[in-house]
Amino acid sequence: AAIRSRRIAWVTVGACKPARRFYTTAGFGQLGIDDKLARSMASLYQAHAPTALQQQMIPELLRPRSHLLVRQTTGAGKTFAVLCTLLSLAIQEHRLLTTKLKHTSAEAFDVQALNTLVVVPNRELALQMGQWASELLEHAYPQMSRGKLVQWFVSGSEYEIAQRKYLKRHGAPAIVLGTPRALLELTSGRSSVMAATAPKMLQQLDRSQDSEAYVRQLIRVHKESKQRDEVTADGLRGLRRLVIDEVDQVLRVPGRNASDKERKLRLDKPRPGQVLVDRLLLETCGLARLNAEVQQARLLAWQTRAERDGEGLRRSTARGWSKDRDPALGAPPAAPKAQPKVEDPAVQQLQRAADLVGRQTLQVTALSATANSGARHWMQKHGWMSSRPRIIDSADEPTVPASVTHHCLVVEDHDTVRNFQARDDRAPDPSTEETEGGVWDTDVAQRSAEAQLSAMDLMADVAANTLAALRPTGSVVIFTRSDASTTQFARVLEEHGVMARDIMVHFDETLRQRVDQAVVEQVGSVTEPYRVYLATEESARGIDVTDAGLVLILDIPKNAASYAHMAGRTGRFGRAGTVVSVVPVGRRGWYESKMRGIFSLLQIKPLPAPFVE
C-alpha cells in the first residue's frame, strides 16, 4: 500500500540492478605489487584484477619518472590503488635492505622512517585508509610489525592520545598518513621523532653556491639518481613520496569568480594543508631556493619585456584624449603586434630542474575526481609540481559513475514535495519569496532554533518515507550540510523511526562496538535490514562504504564538486546505486535553479522518482 505523509504519495519500487565490474585481465602481481599483498587484496576486498585506471597509476608509482596528477571518476579505486602500491613499495624496500644489503630488520626500518607521506582532507578517509592498511598487513604479513610500516594521525582528543603512545612505542614508520592539521603538529619540529628529512640525493646540494651553480648541481644530482641502477641504503633515506589525496579539498584554491576579499583572506591565512606541503617541499627538500629562483627569473624577464615595449604598451593602453588618437588630427597609430610569449632561458632551465624525478628523489602525487586546471596551475606556480607532470585524466568520462540513478525532490513548503523540474516554465510567484527568519535561510547558523528544528523535522520525514519506499538492501549514507548539527539531526531521525549512526562508526571498530552496545541496551538487538550512516558534505571526500546502495543528500549542495563527491559514495566499481537529493524550492525557485546548474555541469539527467506523485 502507498505510504502517505503530508501531500507526498510513496509507492514501492523494484530491487537494484546487479553490480557491473570493469576489470582488466592483468593481475596486480604482474604490475609489480608484492605477491602476498596482491593475494590479500583479492581475499579481503575481492580485488582480483586492476581497473584500467589502476593499470596506469601503479607503474607510475612503482617506477617514478615524473610527478603524477590523477583526475578520474569517483569510485574508480584511486585511493585504494595508491595505498596498496605504497605498502608494496615499503615491503619490497624492506626486503631489499634485509636480504641484499644485509641490514637487520630494525636497521632497515630506521632507513625507511618517514619516506612516504600521505595527506588526506578529513579524518574519515584517514581512518579508512588505516583500516585497509592494518587488515592487509595482518593478512599478508602477520609477523611483520605494522607500526613500523604505517601509522595514521587525525585530530581529536579521543584519537591523539592513543596515536602519540603508538608513535612513541614504534617510532616513525615508513608510511605516515593523516589530516593536514594533525600532520602539521607532528612535523612542526616539536617532535624530533617525526622530523621529515630530504632525500639523500638532495642533501648533497651545496646551497651556499650562486644561482647558476646551484641549478647545475641540482640537474647533475637528478641525472645521477636516474642513471644509478644500484640502490644503496642512503638512497632510500628521506622523504621520497608525497601523496595528496583530494587535492582540491586540501587546497581550496579560490575560484576564478572569487572576490578580492576571499583572495586576500587566503593569502593571509593559508590552509593547514598548504602550510604543511610548503614546509616539506620548499624547506625540508631544499626546493625553496629553486622556486624562489623561478619566480625571480620570471619577474626579471617580465621587467625586461616591459622596458623594451614600454612606450608601445603605454600608447596602446592610454585612456582619454591624446593628440595621436584624435581622428580629426590624423589616423591613430597602428597597435603594436602581439609578440609570442617566449619563456626566458633562465626560467626554462630552472623548470627543467624542477621536472626531474627519480627513484631516489621526491615524487609528488595528487589525486581527485574534481581537480580542475586551476588547482594544477596553482600547484605548479607554488613549486608543488613540475611543469610537465604525468596526467591521468578522464575528461571523456562523467565525474559521477554512469551506473548511478539520480532523483531530486523539491520541497515546496511544509505540506508539498514534488519531483524536480528540468525546466521552469512557470511565471514567478512573489508569494514564494522567503521572509527573514524563514526555514530555508541560506546560512544554517542564522536560523532560529525553532526554524532549524522545523527544517530538520521536514527533512527527516522525507528521508524516512524515501527509505520506506526504496527498501534498500545495502547501507544508506545521509548527507547534511557541513554547518548543521549531525547529533541533533540523528535524534530527529530517530523520532521518525530511522536509527542513524555517525559515519565515523564505519571506520572505527572501537566506536562501532560502543554504539552497537548502546543500541542493544536500548532496543535489545542490532539486527537491521540496512545500516544508515549520517555524514556531512566535508566528510564525503574519498570514503568508501562498499555496500552503499542509496545516498540521500538533504539540503542544497555547496557546488557541483560537492554533489559529485556525495553522489560518488554509491555506484562504486561499477555497482548500481541511487542518489536522492532533497532541496527546498528556495526564494523564487533559486535553489531548484541551482540544482539545474549542478546537473547540467555534471551532465546528469535526474529521473522522476517513481515513489512520488
Side-chain angles (χ1 to χ4, degrees):
I3 304 173
R4 289 189 174 272
S5 173
R6 297 183 173 95
R7 288 170 53 190
I8 313 171
W10 309 85
V11 296
T12 58
V13 297
C16 294
K17 299 177 182 178
R20 176 180 63 86
R21 299 183 182 272
F22 46 100
Y23 292 126
T24 59
T25 55
F28 284 100
Q30 293 175 296
L31 295 178
I33 298 294
D34 179 77
D35 289 337
K36 288 186 177 180
L37 193 63
R39 288 195 293 269
S40 296
M41 292 164 60
S43 176
L44 296 176
Y45 303 106
Q46 288 72 54
H48 300 282
T51 64
L53 163 68
Q54 292 167 346
Q55 267 202 327
Q56 298 179 69
M57 283 180 57
I58 292 174
E60 295 290 338
L61 293 169
L62 291 174
R63 293 171 290 278
R65 295 171 296 175
S66 63
H67 299 304
L68 182 62
L69 178 62
V70 182
R71 182 180 180 272
Q72 282 280 342
T73 305
T74 59
K78 300 183 293 294
T79 303
F80 184 74
V82 166
L83 177 65
C84 293
T85 307
L86 296 179
L87 289 174
S88 179
L89 281 168
I91 293 169
Q92 292 168 351
E93 288 178 357
H94 186 79
R95 186 181 299 124
L96 173 66
L97 288 166
T98 55
T99 56
K100 186 176 181 180
L101 300 180
K102 307 301 181 182
H103 284 63
T104 66
S105 181
E107 292 172 341
F109 283 128
D110 181 66
V111 170
Q112 293 180 272
L114 195 51
N115 62 22
T116 302
L117 188 69
V118 183
V119 184
V120 297
N122 54 62
R123 64 179 185 175
E124 290 85 359
L125 182 54
L127 293 176
Q128 174 183 268
M129 294 179 70
Q131 186 182 58
W132 285 343
S134 182
E135 292 176 352
L136 286 168
L137 291 175
E138 184 178 355
H139 188 275
Y141 292 92
Q143 305 302 323
M144 184 175 287
S145 174
R146 190 266 293 172
K148 293 288 188 179
L149 280 179
V150 59
Q151 294 180 34
W152 48 94
F153 300 89
V154 298
S155 299
S157 56
E158 66 272 28
Y159 298 102
E160 291 176 1
I161 296 175
Q163 290 166 178
R164 296 279 181 157
K165 289 182 178 179
Y166 201 77
L167 174 61
K168 186 176 181 180
R169 183 166 68 249
H170 293 281
I175 304 172
V176 176
L177 62 91
T179 57
R181 195 177 301 277
L183 294 176
L184 191 59
E185 293 177 357
L186 287 169
T187 59
S188 60
R190 293 192 301 267
S191 176
S192 60
V193 75
M194 281 293 288
T197 59
K200 192 67 175 179
M201 298 293 292
L202 296 182
Q203 291 181 18
Q204 302 174 8
L205 297 175
D206 182 5
R207 302 184 190 183
S208 64
Q209 300 183 63
D210 58 43
S211 174
E212 186 176 351
Y214 178 81
V215 174
R216 284 201 305 269
Q217 187 183 21
L218 180 63
I219 294 175
R220 178 179 57 79
V221 166
H222 275 282
K223 287 183 177 179
E224 290 177 358
S225 171
K226 284 191 172 185
Q227 295 172 357
R228 184 178 298 173
D229 295 330
E230 183 181 358
V231 178
T232 63
D234 284 342
L236 298 179
R237 292 183 186 274
L239 181 64
R240 295 182 292 112
R241 290 179 284 269
L242 175 62
V243 178
I244 311 170
D245 202 358
E246 304 298 344
V247 64
D248 54 332
Q249 180 72 3
V250 172
L251 282 177
R252 288 193 185 178
V253 177
R256 65 180 66 180
N257 298 321
S259 64
D260 292 339
K261 182 179 179 181
E262 292 174 331
R263 297 179 188 276
K264 185 178 184 305
L265 180 63
R266 177 57 192 276
L267 289 174
D268 295 340
K269 296 182 179 180
R271 291 184 60 81
Q274 178 184 344
V275 177
L276 171 68
V277 178
D278 278 345
R279 180 172 299 169
L280 293 172
L281 289 181
L282 304 183
E283 297 177 14
T284 303
C285 293
L287 301 180
R289 181 171 179 178
L290 179 62
N291 188 60
E293 293 289 350
V294 169
Q295 300 302 325
Q296 182 65 26
R298 282 177 174 166
L299 178 61
L300 181 62
W302 180 84
Q303 290 175 343
T304 303
R305 288 197 302 269
E307 292 174 0
R308 184 180 65 241
D309 304 330
E311 182 62 22
L313 290 172
R314 187 191 67 78
R315 287 178 175 274
S316 65
T317 58
R319 294 182 179 273
W321 182 89
S322 69
K323 179 179 178 181
D324 292 336
R325 288 178 175 272
D326 194 331
L329 301 179
K337 294 183 179 180
Q339 297 295 327
K341 183 177 179 181
V342 179
E343 197 72 271
D344 186 87
V347 177
Q348 293 178 347
Q349 184 185 28
L350 290 167
Q351 286 183 335
R352 282 196 298 270
D355 291 341
L356 297 170
V357 174
R359 186 177 179 184
Q360 299 180 43
T361 54
L362 179 68
Q363 181 190 38
V364 180
T365 301
L367 316 169
S368 182
T370 53
N372 53 24
S373 59
R376 175 165 58 88
H377 294 320
W378 190 96
M379 289 189 290
Q380 292 172 335
K381 180 180 178 181
H382 287 75
W384 285 27
M385 187 164 284
S386 65
S387 61
R388 295 175 294 179
R390 168 76 165 95
I391 300 177
I392 302 177
D393 199 351
S394 60
D396 56 340
E397 297 180 11
T399 304
V400 181
S403 58
V404 175
T405 302
H406 300 263
H407 305 295
C408 185
L409 307 182
V410 180
V411 181
E412 291 265 0
D413 50 47
H414 280 280
D415 298 318
T416 307
V417 176
R418 60 171 171 81
N419 273 304
F420 167 83
Q421 295 178 348
R423 294 180 56 186
D424 188 6
D425 299 325
R426 301 173 301 171
D429 184 4
S431 64
T432 61
E433 185 171 349
E434 299 173 340
T435 59
E436 186 177 356
V439 172
W440 301 121
D441 286 337
T442 301
D443 189 358
V444 176
Q446 296 177 358
R447 294 178 186 167
S448 65
E450 294 78 12
Q452 176 67 7
L453 188 61
S454 176
M456 285 186 172
D457 182 72
L458 179 55
M459 287 294 186
D461 182 70
V462 176
N465 282 280
T466 301
L467 294 174
L470 289 177
R471 297 178 182 177
T473 55
S475 297
V476 178
V477 183
I478 299 178
F479 286 104
T480 64
R481 290 170 58 122
S482 298
D483 45 5
S485 171
T486 56
T487 304
Q488 184 183 15
F489 189 56
R491 288 196 295 266
V492 177
L493 282 171
E494 188 174 353
E495 294 174 0
H496 287 265
V498 179
M499 184 70 70
R501 298 172 171 84
D502 191 282
I503 192 67
M504 291 292 292
V505 174
H506 183 70
F507 308 115
D508 191 328
E509 180 66 29
T510 304
L511 181 60
R512 179 163 59 247
Q513 293 175 358
R514 191 161 64 242
V515 170
D516 287 345
Q517 181 61 31
V519 172
V520 169
E521 294 175 357
Q522 183 177 357
V523 300
S525 173
V526 293
T527 303
E528 300 167 294
Y530 49 81
R531 289 205 169 200
V532 179
Y533 297 106
L534 192 59
T536 64
E537 283 185 273
E538 298 296 329
S539 61
R541 296 292 186 124
I543 60 174
D544 180 39
V545 182
T546 306
D547 62 340
L550 174 63
V551 167
L552 291 178
I553 302 175
L554 306 183
D555 224 325
I556 189 79
K558 289 182 178 179
N559 47 47
S562 180
Y563 179 90
H565 284 281
M566 289 189 287
R569 298 317 98 197
T570 187
R572 303 180 71 78
F573 286 98
R575 300 182 181 92
T578 302
V579 178
V580 179
S581 305
V582 182
V583 299
V585 66
R587 181 185 290 114
R588 296 193 176 186
W590 185 84
Y591 288 128
E592 187 175 13
S593 176
K594 183 176 180 179
M595 289 304 298
R596 291 191 188 99
I598 289 175
F599 289 138
S600 175
L601 188 63
L602 297 176
Q603 301 180 359
I604 293 173
K605 294 183 178 180
L607 302 176
F611 47 84
V612 176
E613 289 183 346

